[in-house]
Amino acid sequence: MPSQLATQFGVTDQGRLGTTSSSPFSGSPTFDEAPFHLEADRRPALGTYALIERAGDDALHYARITSGQEENPRADPVTLQQNSAYRIGARNPRPGERAPHVTRVMTLELLGEIRRDNGGEFVLSEPTHLPETGMSVYEIPSSRLSWLLSMPEDPDSGLLLGELVSGGGAVPFVLPMEALARHIAVLGKTGVGKSYAVGVVVEELARQGIPVVAFDVLGDLVNAAEDLNGRTLEGGRQLKVPFSVIGLTEFLSFTPNITKEQQELIAMGYDRVYGEATTALAAQQRLPGIQRLSDEITSAGVAFGQEKVAARAVQRVEAAVRRSRILTETADAVLESIAGHPLTNVFVGPLTQQERNLIVGSAARVLQTLRRRQLIPPFIFVLDEAHLFLPAGGESTPSTSVIREMVRTARHDGIGIILISQSPASLDKQVLLTCNTRLVFALDRDDLRLVSGTMGDVPDALLSRIPKLAKGSAVISSGADIIRHSSLVTIRRRRTREGAPTPNLAEDVRTWRLNNPR
């Protein structure tokens, strides 16, 4: 029977798993882990949370299963070969769960201790005592897991992402709201469920009334925007970039085939206009137009006696802004209206990467300025294929610098960041470290090596399984003050439609041939 303290915590005799053990082969209890002999007919899963009783009944250790092994001398390879060679017969080396020669030993990773405080409430503390041999081990009831992991029990107090399984039942996994302001990274290779999970997060944010602005490379959130009564804006059509806030280097890239003298005059004029635009944006005033830039370039030409050079430079600049599909003269008020939409999805797929950088960088600058002036509510900024915008190795453009700065300071402005990447190794490491919560789906081993050091207390056994995680399963880790321990979670079903599914090329080819007969 469970001890009095264990019974008060909710464990029952039916939840007994086994007895802590000691042997030269399976080891003995330490301050970090404890082996235990598994009872017959019990089959707890890897990661199951468990209690270890302690003499004195003043505290309990709590732990999770990280490994296991079965010993059976009758299944020794030499014995099996001898039976076969000598035709001893159909001797079953494992006649049943209660065969006396079959032993199963599992290892528990110690996570902490549970005791009662002076008020009679259960409290957790770090493990300070050595587990004892010969003590009973019990599954922690699923009803206690939310408390153990410091998750809200009420889904209305957080984001309901899915379920974790332990203690004989599935437990809703609710991410605390505090995780949003400290940023989230969603990582995994192609086709493992990242975009699906982000759709779940967006649904939960809409349920909580928190506006989302997403930059969508592959069109994954187009259907969700429609289902949630949000909107999708196509970058370069419904959403354009004010030329005066993108920075000199980016602006010059739109004016090719200019001479060195023309570039110098454009630079002098643009620097003046850029400063005015920055001030105007902060004051919510009208941004300087292309005529203002032309006047500044002309003035610089007059000052240096290069009127004809300036005239040609003005022609180049005005033509570049007119021809561009993403540049405009004034700040688009569309971003100021995010409070009226649960999801503003900016689809940037058809654009070049340079154009995407400009759209995202400019929008980030405008949004952060509006937020600092309390002109828009707190919101969540979602960036798909984040490694394309925030590359590793120190590579930087004015646009990527803006996004990096936003990630670094957004918490203080009431902006939460969600970064999505299929290639964490290609993502700026400092930016990745800024994301306190991580949803890690199946990853290639090279990417996993980079990410593993940032995943808190994920046990080695679970880390080694990440490359083979089933689609829709993720290891979720966070700061201990948000989610006390990392967990393997099955993402719940979405209520909104997915984006474009992964194509079946064989079916697509057959369809093409039917529609294009020779």
Side-chain angles (χ1 to χ4, degrees):
M1 292 292 294
S3 65
Q4 181 178 0
L5 187 61
T7 300
Q8 292 169 349
F9 192 72
V11 304
T12 64
D13 197 43
Q14 289 72 30
R16 191 174 190 278
L17 295 176
T19 306
T20 53
S21 60
S22 174
S23 85
F25 307 104
S26 58
S28 299
T30 70
F31 285 103
D32 299 313
E33 59 183 29
F36 73 98
H37 170 257
L38 191 65
E39 291 285 330
D41 302 320
R42 297 311 309 268
R43 297 187 178 276
L46 183 69
T48 296
Y49 289 92
L51 290 178
I52 307 173
E53 291 190 329
R54 209 167 76 191
D57 201 27
D58 62 330
L60 305 163
H61 282 100
Y62 76 94
R64 62 183 164 197
I65 296 174
T66 56
S67 64
Q69 62 185 18
E70 181 175 280
E71 294 291 337
N72 183 352
R74 293 187 185 177
D76 174 83
V78 174
T79 302
L80 293 174
Q81 176 63 23
Q82 289 174 346
N83 291 345
S84 176
Y86 297 139
R87 301 181 184 276
I88 292 177
R91 182 182 184 187
N92 188 348
R94 197 178 193 285
E97 284 291 306
R98 298 187 177 276
H101 56 279
V102 176
T103 58
R104 288 183 294 160
V105 177
M106 291 191 169
T107 301
L108 291 166
E109 174 197 17
L110 295 187
L111 299 175
E113 296 177 2
I114 300 172
R115 52 172 48 85
R116 285 191 180 277
D117 62 14
N118 292 334
E121 297 294 327
F122 284 107
V123 294
L124 300 176
S125 63
E126 293 296 316
T128 57
H129 292 79
L130 187 68
E132 301 157 340
T133 57
M135 304 304 295
S136 293
V137 176
Y138 295 91
E139 275 187 306
I140 292 181
S142 57
S143 59
R144 281 289 187 178
L145 289 182
S146 293
W147 175 83
L148 191 71
L149 299 178
S150 71
M151 292 191 306
E153 293 189 16
D154 182 1
D156 288 339
S157 300
L159 309 182
L160 176 60
L161 302 187
E163 293 181 335
L164 62 89
V165 178
S166 181
V171 181
F173 184 91
V174 182
L175 186 67
M177 299 296 289
E178 292 80 2
L180 294 174
R182 292 167 64 178
H183 311 329
I184 299 171
V186 183
L187 310 172
K189 56 189 179 183
T190 303
V192 295
K194 298 188 307 299
S195 298
Y196 191 98
V198 171
V200 170
V201 174
V202 168
E203 290 174 359
E204 289 297 298
L205 292 169
R207 183 173 65 85
Q208 296 286 358
I210 302 173
V212 175
V213 180
F215 291 86
D216 186 0
V217 175
L218 301 176
D220 291 320
L221 289 174
V222 172
N223 289 334
E226 182 177 342
D227 293 345
L228 292 170
N229 295 320
R231 58 181 176 170
T232 292
L233 308 174
E234 186 173 329
R237 294 184 62 187
Q238 293 97 340
L239 183 64
K240 295 190 175 186
V241 175
F243 79 89
S244 57
V245 301
I246 64 176
L248 176 61
T249 301
E250 301 285 19
F251 182 73
L252 288 175
S253 69
F254 284 90
T255 53
N257 303 319
I258 56 175
T259 65
K260 181 179 179 182
E261 291 77 12
Q262 291 170 351
Q263 179 175 316
E264 289 174 349
L265 295 178
I266 294 172
M268 284 187 282
Y270 188 86
D271 281 344
R272 293 286 298 273
V273 170
Y274 181 80
E276 292 175 7
T278 302
T279 301
L281 185 63
Q284 206 183 9
Q285 297 173 352
R286 184 179 178 83
L287 296 176
I290 192 64
Q291 186 59 51
R292 180 77 184 92
L293 176 58
S294 298
D295 292 343
E296 285 294 335
I297 295 172
T298 300
S299 296
V302 170
F304 287 92
Q306 295 181 314
E307 291 89 341
K308 292 184 179 179
V309 175
R312 289 192 293 271
V314 167
Q315 290 177 343
R316 297 273 188 180
V317 164
E318 291 180 348
V321 174
R322 284 196 304 270
R323 287 196 307 265
S324 173
R325 60 176 172 172
I326 68 166
L327 294 183
T328 185
E329 292 191 56
T330 57
D332 198 329
V334 70
L335 293 177
E336 296 181 36
S337 61
I338 68 169
H341 302 272
L343 171 59
T344 298
N345 185 46
V346 182
F347 180 47
V348 296
L351 304 178
T352 67
Q353 189 55 41
Q354 182 199 36
E355 290 171 332
R356 292 171 184 168
N357 279 345
L358 287 172
I359 288 282
V360 175
S362 176
R365 178 183 279 122
V366 171
L367 286 166
Q368 193 163 26
T369 301
L370 293 173
R371 175 67 202 126
R372 286 175 175 173
R373 292 182 56 79
Q374 298 293 316
L375 298 173
I376 57 175
F379 68 96
I380 302 299
F381 182 94
V382 178
L383 185 57
D384 190 20
E385 301 290 351
H387 55 280
L388 299 178
F389 300 90
L390 298 162
E395 182 182 342
S396 182
T397 68
S399 296
T400 57
S401 298
V402 169
I403 305 169
R404 281 192 181 99
E405 179 65 14
M406 183 183 189
V407 172
R408 190 179 67 83
T409 61
R411 175 184 176 185
H412 306 288
D413 297 321
I415 302 172
I417 308 288
I418 299 177
L419 302 179
I420 312 163
S421 178
Q422 61 178 294
S423 181
S426 302
L427 181 63
D428 185 301
K429 188 173 182 180
Q430 193 59 46
V431 168
L432 181 58
L433 290 173
T434 305
C435 297
N436 191 265
T437 300
R438 297 172 185 86
L439 279 68
V440 179
F441 293 80
L443 272 177
D444 293 328
R445 294 191 183 278
D446 288 343
D447 285 313
L448 181 59
R449 277 193 289 271
L450 176 74
V451 173
S452 60
T454 68
M455 294 181 64
D457 68 343
V458 179
D460 291 341
L462 184 52
L463 275 176
S464 66
R465 297 177 68 195
I466 286 178
K468 297 181 180 180
L469 281 180
K471 182 177 180 179
S473 294
V475 176
I476 300 182
S477 63
S478 188
D481 58 324
I482 296 177
I483 294 292
R484 188 172 284 117
H485 301 293
S486 57
S487 299
L488 179 60
V489 176
T490 301
I491 302 300
R492 69 162 175 81
R493 291 182 63 84
R494 281 175 56 166
R495 295 184 288 271
T496 56
R497 290 172 294 159
E498 297 182 61
T502 301
N504 183 317
L505 294 184
E507 291 183 3
D508 290 349
V509 169
R510 284 192 290 270
T511 301
W512 183 89
R513 292 191 190 282
L514 289 173
N515 295 331
N516 296 274
R518 292 188 177 183

